[in-house]
Amino acid sequence: MFSALANIYKIPELRQKVIFTLIMFAVFRLGTHIPVPGVDPSAIEQLFATGNLFGLLDLFSGGAFSKFSIFAMSITPYINASIIMQLLTVVIPTLEQWSKEGQEGHKKTTKVTRYLTVALAFFQAVGMSIGLKQAILNPSPVSILIIAITLTGGTIFLMWIGEQITANGVGNGISLIIFAGIVAALPKNLGTIYSYLQAGTISYFNAFVFAVIALLMIVFVIYIQEGNRRVPISYAKRVVGKKTYGGSSSHIPLKVNHAGVIPIIFASSVLMFPVTVAQFIEVPWVTTLAGYFAWGTPLQTSIYALLIIFFTYFYTAVTVKISDMAENLKKYGGFIPGIRPGKPTEEYLDTVMTRITLAGAFFLAFIAVLPNLVAGATHIEGVYFGGTALLIVVGVALNTMKQIESMVVMRHYQGFMK
């Protein structure tokens, strides 16, 4: 492993990419400590001390949200814009046509995604400024507008950093920014566990159980994330002139968790809405209703798991075009052994995808409720482990490792994976 890391720095191009990525990480971490003007930091800290409503958003922003810095919204508006564009591609013919135009179509889609990011970021920044106006020193319309513009500018700058990392660094820049924010919270979480041990709140056995569960869950997530069903494909032989083409065998890899982390984001957004509204509407029945949806309650956990299963099937059905797979196989002379081309092939692939998606949906539901289970088993509160953060960290690490591996292998070096 250490020799493989040394090989990275033997390749000048890869070394420059890694250094550039680390510099961008440093810029991102520096920005998380630059406060938004006109905001009382102590009032923000009191809001975060009252509950874990904003804990997940603060985790993604690397602590910038709890400090209400210029990167408080992180890259979330860009992610939302990308998801919206991906869903609209299915229903808007123009976007669907762009998706088939290769690099030129990708440029057009990226341009629209950027404009949509600016609109969503400004809308979110205004809502955040109004919702947290008790922390603003002078809550006038002008002050709220200045804060909203500052937050929007921070998100746009992060979007630019992510694109620069993708173009000149290693891995997907947007994903790596979220990865850096989550990993940055690791020292704080370790410090929290250490303070619990010093105060006698938990025992060393609790800490040991927490470490074992963390290690097992990382292995389990890697196993599921890399898992796929390989549907065998054969290609018929074709004789063109004096040459014979085809006659080969291949496979279609259908991922167990094709939806990734998107269903968890959708489900958490839906469930956080009533709780968020109740924070700013002092009506008794609204507060009572929001109490049933409080994070970790049995009702909230059950609905959370069911929503994740639903969104897993929904997102997979929208993004995986089984009909196109069957049509392309038929067009290029491919077929599944024992299955007729055309409609029977489409039905077979749809059945296989439905079955493996069920396993992926239950996996995501389990990962999402894992923090509550870990807290109950170890009695360690205030340390977020599992769910979206675990999936993102493992997924980004695997993808970045594979990209580095491909660069190393291209230059005949032994890489990370054997």
Side-chain angles (χ1 to χ4, degrees), residues 163-389:
E163 293 178 350
Q164 293 303 308
I165 293 176
T166 302
N168 305 309
V170 177
N172 182 282
I174 302 300
S175 300
L176 284 173
I177 287 176
I178 301 176
F179 173 87
I182 296 173
V183 172
L186 183 60
K188 179 182 177 181
N189 289 335
L190 293 177
T192 301
I193 296 176
Y194 178 76
S195 63
Y196 284 164
L197 289 172
Q198 293 295 104
T201 307
I202 62 173
S203 64
Y204 285 95
F205 178 75
N206 294 128
F208 174 76
V209 171
F210 181 86
V212 171
I213 292 176
L215 180 61
L216 291 177
M217 288 312 304
I218 291 173
V219 174
F220 178 58
V221 169
I222 294 174
Y223 178 76
I224 298 296
Q225 287 290 87
E226 294 296 293
N228 58 73
R229 167 72 183 276
R230 297 186 176 186
V231 179
I233 301 295
S234 297
Y235 291 91
K237 292 183 179 180
R238 295 178 297 146
V239 179
V240 181
K242 295 183 179 180
K243 294 184 178 180
T244 302
Y245 298 92
S248 60
S249 298
S250 182
H251 66 270
I252 299 177
L254 299 177
K255 291 181 66 66
V256 175
N257 180 27
H258 181 85
V261 75
I262 302 301
I264 298 180
I265 295 176
F266 282 176
S268 59
S269 299
V270 170
L271 285 179
M272 285 177 67
F273 179 75
V275 183
T276 305
V277 172
Q279 291 279 325
F280 309 112
I281 299 179
E282 297 181 358
V283 179
W285 69 268
V286 174
T287 305
T288 303
L289 181 62
Y292 291 108
F293 291 94
W295 200 265
T297 60
L299 178 61
Q300 185 272 343
T301 302
S302 302
I303 297 178
Y304 191 29
L306 292 175
L307 284 175
I308 289 173
I309 294 173
F310 168 76
F311 283 124
T312 301
Y313 273 99
F314 172 77
Y315 189 78
T316 303
V318 169
T319 56
V320 180
K321 300 179 180 179
I322 300 296
S323 58
D324 290 350
M325 288 185 187
E327 183 64 27
N328 290 333
L329 282 176
K330 185 178 180 180
K331 184 186 300 183
Y332 294 106
F335 63 93
I336 301 173
I339 307 296
R340 292 174 61 86
K343 191 65 175 178
T345 297
E346 181 181 345
E347 293 175 353
Y348 175 79
L349 290 175
D350 185 65
T351 301
V352 172
M353 196 68 202
T354 301
R355 290 175 178 175
I356 64 175
T357 300
L358 180 62
F362 278 108
F363 160 73
L364 288 177
F366 172 70
I367 289 295
V369 301
L370 180 64
N372 299 334
L373 301 178
V374 172
T378 62
H379 305 289
I380 298 178
E381 302 288 345
V383 177
Y384 187 87
F385 175 79
T388 312

Side-chain angles (χ1 to χ4, degrees), residues 114-133:
R114 290 171 180 167
Y115 287 135
L116 183 59
T117 299
V118 175
L120 290 177
F122 184 75
F123 178 77
Q124 182 177 337
V126 171
M128 185 183 299
S129 302
I130 295 175
L132 301 177
K133 64 180 180 181

